[in-house]
Amino acid sequence: MVCDALNLRRAVLAVALAAAFLPYSHAGEISGTLSFVKKPPSVVLVYMADDTGADKGKKRKLDQKDQQFTKKMLVAPKGSKISFINSDNTDHNVYAADTDAGADFDIGLAPPGSTIDQEVNWAENAVIRVGCKIHPKMRAYVATVDSRYNQVLELDRTKQDHTFALEVPDTVTLVRVWLPNYEPVEFTLEKGGEHKVDLIKKGKVYGTLTVSRK
Amino acid sequence: MCLKAFVRSPFRGLWLVLGLLLITPLAAQPPIGTPDEFDIEYPDDEEPSAEQVALGKTLFFDTRLSGKQNMSCASCHNPDLGFGDGLEKGVGSDGTILGRNTPHLYNLAWNALFFWDGRAASLEEQALGPIESDVEMNLQLPELIKRLKAVPFYQKHFAEAYPDQKPAISETTIGHAIASFERTLISDNAPFDRFMKGETEAMSEEARRGMALFLGKARCINCHNGPNFTDNGFHNIGVASGDVGRAAVQKGVTTQGAFKTPGLRNVLLTGPYMHDGSIGSLGAVVQHYIDAPKKGGKLSPQMEKIELSDLEILDLVAFMGALTDPVPVTPAKVP
Ligand SMILES: [Cu+2]
């Protein structure tokens, strides 16, 4: 009972605090277009790199089904935990071997129905690839991102043009865009601004990104 | 739909597959079907040009690629022998018997890792491996480049196929050309594919029964799944050869004695079977899958215990036969 009362007080306080700050942190929107000259990549990550408010206590989940990861990318802050779930009817495994990011783990054999936790204990602002040692075609990315303002776009690879929109508060301005095998993109964008940049892979332009902010 | 109409329905094959999918649990293996060329991952998403493929074909048949000039890629990957050599284990240019069976080349365009142990991450990388291996073709790449540069045909055709590459003849372009040719070895019009398109009679009654077993109680689908009948995975299936397989490339609890699941398209043409070529017929292969789980050992959990009658084994073999669509290749004229 004491505990419940305390929680209630905390909740009331949280709501009050949020209400107090609301008038000062107007939420705007960042929207963009990605156009590719060829087949687009399978996934794109867009995030505001100058926010660090992600909840480290919350467990993120990455599931496996039909011999695939159910998501192409998972966003998790450093210090949080990822639950690797196997909802498939065959055994799987999850491992990473990214020496640059310091991500080196192997959860071993993950039988159907299992959940195995792994701490995100490698570099911040890194995107690492995780895979299954039994099925090397199974691939997903884990992005160590502290920002609450992020969006993972799983692209329909039959289409060359893609759009996205992301609600962001006025306090953050640093946009980062990550695409597998492409050079990462980073720029600041103020309210009312627009930014256009080439998407480059191995020194060649494979597309353009246009982002505007309201 | 009444039974008679169902039996006559041109889409009976499809219904059969849909029905089988419905009765399997919610999580399932990637479905078998006809491969889609859209799903091919070309390096840098660039489809090769016709010039690059033609050049790769010439290189594939050229014995200049071996130290003693007595062996080409086609010596072991013989188009008339299911892009294999029909032998238990490969034989090198000096007669050395190699450690493993020569893999076939069908539908590698969709494949993930190469060699039985998956040590090459791309077909480009794979193509160069046997050339440099001292027990296989035994020719160092700088020496090969020198040889090719001395041939006017290659000077001309590398320059035409790779106008952006300086120099045009390099390890990169040689690997790219051979891999580009290999990616064209596509088999996608077998009786099975026609059956899936609704041509019910394309597969015999035996093959149709075999397909139901393949997807059902024989559990072949556990690993031989997707359009090319492979999960591209690595499993220990209990072929006792003393070879550690995948474990030599990647440590882990699942890699000991594990070898790549070969795709089954044209499997009838690609014997003998297993990584060591130790099994001569498809019937005996199926028998192995019945026997191995009973013996125990460190098998992949995908190797479920199964029981099949002799007739059912024949049905399975008939179904594998229905995956036959040879890819005829006329040897290139070597300059
Ligand atoms: Cu797996």
Side-chain angles (χ1 to χ4, degrees):
Chain A
M1 278 313 273
V2 178
C3 190
D4 277 350
L6 193 68
N7 275 342
L8 185 69
R9 233 158 62 198
R10 271 192 195 152
V12 170
L13 190 68
V15 171
L17 272 172
F21 280 104
L22 210 57
Y24 305 105
S25 64
H26 268 298
E29 192 189 71
I30 273 181
S31 59
T33 311
L34 293 140
S35 299
F36 296 92
V37 289
K38 297 232 167 79
K39 199 168 164 180
S42 59
V43 67
V44 177
L45 169 68
V46 183
Y47 68 102
M48 303 307 295
D50 45 0
D51 178 70
T52 54
D55 180 2
K56 290 186 163 68
K58 191 182 123 197
K59 255 189 204 173
R60 275 77 176 171
K61 292 174 187 162
L62 188 57
D63 201 352
Q64 292 164 303
K65 207 174 174 183
D66 303 340
Q67 283 187 19
Q68 280 181 334
F69 287 101
T70 54
K71 287 180 200 159
K72 297 240 158 60
M73 184 188 280
L74 182 74
V75 177
K78 184 174 178 172
S80 69
K81 273 193 177 139
I82 302 175
S83 294
F84 292 113
I85 304 167
N86 181 356
S87 298
D88 218 342
N89 54 4
T90 53
D91 293 86
H92 290 298
N93 158 263
V94 185
Y95 80 102
D98 187 323
T99 40
D100 291 345
D104 184 11
F105 67 85
D106 183 341
I107 67 165
L109 188 71
S114 63
T115 299
I116 298 170
D117 287 355
Q118 168 66 41
E119 196 189 328
V120 181
N121 55 7
W122 52 91
E124 285 180 39
N125 283 310
V127 181
I128 63 152
R129 212 174 73 187
V130 296
C132 163
K133 285 187 179 173
I134 307 171
H135 306 106
K137 264 206 166 173
M138 293 179 60
R139 286 167 191 176
Y141 296 96
V142 174
T144 358
V145 165
D146 273 354
S147 174
R148 285 165 294 179
Y149 311 106
N150 65 72
Q151 196 168 84
V152 175
L153 313 165
E154 295 200 5
L155 304 185
D156 173 355
R157 304 190 75 187
T158 62
K159 297 194 172 74
Q160 285 166 314
D161 298 319
H162 302 268
T163 57
F164 65 89
L166 175 64
E167 234 175 68
V168 293
D170 294 349
T171 46
V172 290
T173 55
L174 187 60
V175 181
R176 238 182 236 158
V177 181
W178 183 93
L179 307 88
N181 303 318
Y182 282 73
E183 288 174 16
V185 173
E186 184 184 291
F187 52 89
T188 53
L189 190 61
E190 305 285 349
K191 210 164 185 170
E194 197 186 83
H195 191 89
K196 195 173 175 180
V197 61
D198 285 337
L199 297 170
I200 296 165
K201 186 168 67 169
K202 286 192 185 168
K204 272 169 83 177
V205 177
Y206 278 90
T208 49
L209 166 71
T210 313
V211 187
S212 57
R213 180 164 189 170
K214 310 189 278 216
Chain B
M1 180 157 49
C2 77
L3 192 64
K4 230 176 186 173
F6 174 75
V7 170
R8 285 202 192 129
S9 159
F11 296 107
R12 196 170 57 157
L14 274 179
W15 289 118
L16 184 75
V17 171
L18 285 174
L20 281 164
L21 286 177
L22 281 177
I23 55 166
T24 50
L26 270 174
Q29 288 80 15
I32 55 174
T34 301
D36 186 344
E37 289 190 28
F38 181 81
D39 296 330
I40 297 175
E41 298 280 353
Y42 292 104
D44 298 326
D45 292 328
E46 296 270 8
E47 237 180 282
S49 66
E51 287 84 4
Q52 290 167 346
V53 171
L55 178 62
K57 184 177 173 183
T58 310
L59 289 168
F60 187 86
F61 285 97
D62 195 336
T63 54
R64 283 188 186 89
L65 272 65
S66 59
K68 290 183 185 157
Q69 308 219 28
N70 60 348
M71 193 178 197
S72 71
C73 305
S75 304
C76 292
H77 301 288
N78 184 337
D80 297 331
L81 291 172
F83 289 94
D85 50 19
L87 302 169
E88 228 171 87
K89 288 172 181 165
V91 177
S93 68
D94 63 355
T96 310
I97 295 174
L98 306 176
R100 294 175 187 152
N101 177 258
T102 302
H104 72 75
L105 305 182
Y106 297 109
N107 293 11
L108 293 188
W110 290 273
N111 204 52
L113 299 176
F114 301 86
F115 293 116
W116 277 107
D117 56 13
R119 64 184 183 275
S122 72
L123 204 45
E124 282 70 13
E125 187 188 336
Q126 191 285 325
L128 300 175
I131 302 174
E132 284 205 292
S133 159
D134 54 1
V135 289
E136 295 183 52
M137 296 159 90
N138 194 21
L139 178 64
Q140 294 308 298
L141 295 173
E143 177 59 27
L144 172 60
I145 292 167
K146 229 161 80 186
R147 278 188 195 174
L148 297 179
K149 277 185 175 160
V151 184
F153 171 93
Y154 282 125
Q155 274 183 14
K156 176 172 180 282
H157 287 273
F158 268 97
E160 280 172 11
Y162 296 98
D164 300 338
Q165 300 271 341
K166 300 280 179 283
I169 304 181
S170 69
E171 286 183 23
T172 313
T173 54
I174 294 168
H176 183 269
I178 298 173
S180 297
F181 164 65
E182 289 176 325
R183 283 198 188 89
T184 66
L185 304 173
I186 291 176
S187 173
D188 59 2
N189 193 26
F192 162 75
D193 299 292
R194 300 202 294 277
F195 174 79
M196 294 296 277
K197 283 188 194 116
E199 237 183 88
T200 314
E201 302 308 315
M203 277 200 336
S204 68
E205 193 63 48
E206 291 84 353
R208 280 178 261 168
R209 285 199 306 260
M211 180 164 141
L213 290 165
F214 190 95
L215 299 170
K217 79 171 192 178
R219 302 315 304 147
C220 312
I221 192 70
N222 285 5
C223 299
H224 292 287
N225 53 46
N228 292 308
F229 299 84
T230 171
D231 58 0
N232 293 284
F234 295 89
H235 308 275
N236 184 337
I237 60 163
V239 175
S241 64
D243 189 336
V244 299
R246 181 72 178 151
V249 181
Q250 194 174 49
K251 297 262 169 292
V253 289
T254 64
T255 60
Q256 194 67 29
F259 293 87
K260 194 175 68 181
T261 311
L264 298 186
R265 287 187 170 272
N266 285 324
V267 67
L268 207 59
L269 313 176
T270 64
Y273 305 101
M274 307 309 192
H275 71 268
D276 59 354
S278 59
I279 303 185
S281 74
L282 288 174
V285 169
V286 178
Q287 190 63 49
H288 169 83
Y289 287 104
I290 299 170
D291 297 340
K294 289 179 189 155
K295 286 186 199 145
K298 271 195 156 181
L299 289 193
S300 156
Q302 254 90 309
M303 291 279 288
E304 291 178 56
K305 280 202 172 100
I306 55 164
E307 289 297 345
L308 297 167
S309 69
D310 289 351
L311 204 66
E312 288 173 325
I313 294 175
L314 289 176
D315 287 345
L316 273 170
V317 174
F319 174 60
M320 288 188 265
L323 305 178
T324 309
D325 168 33
V327 182
V329 169
T330 326
K333 259 200 197 131
V334 172

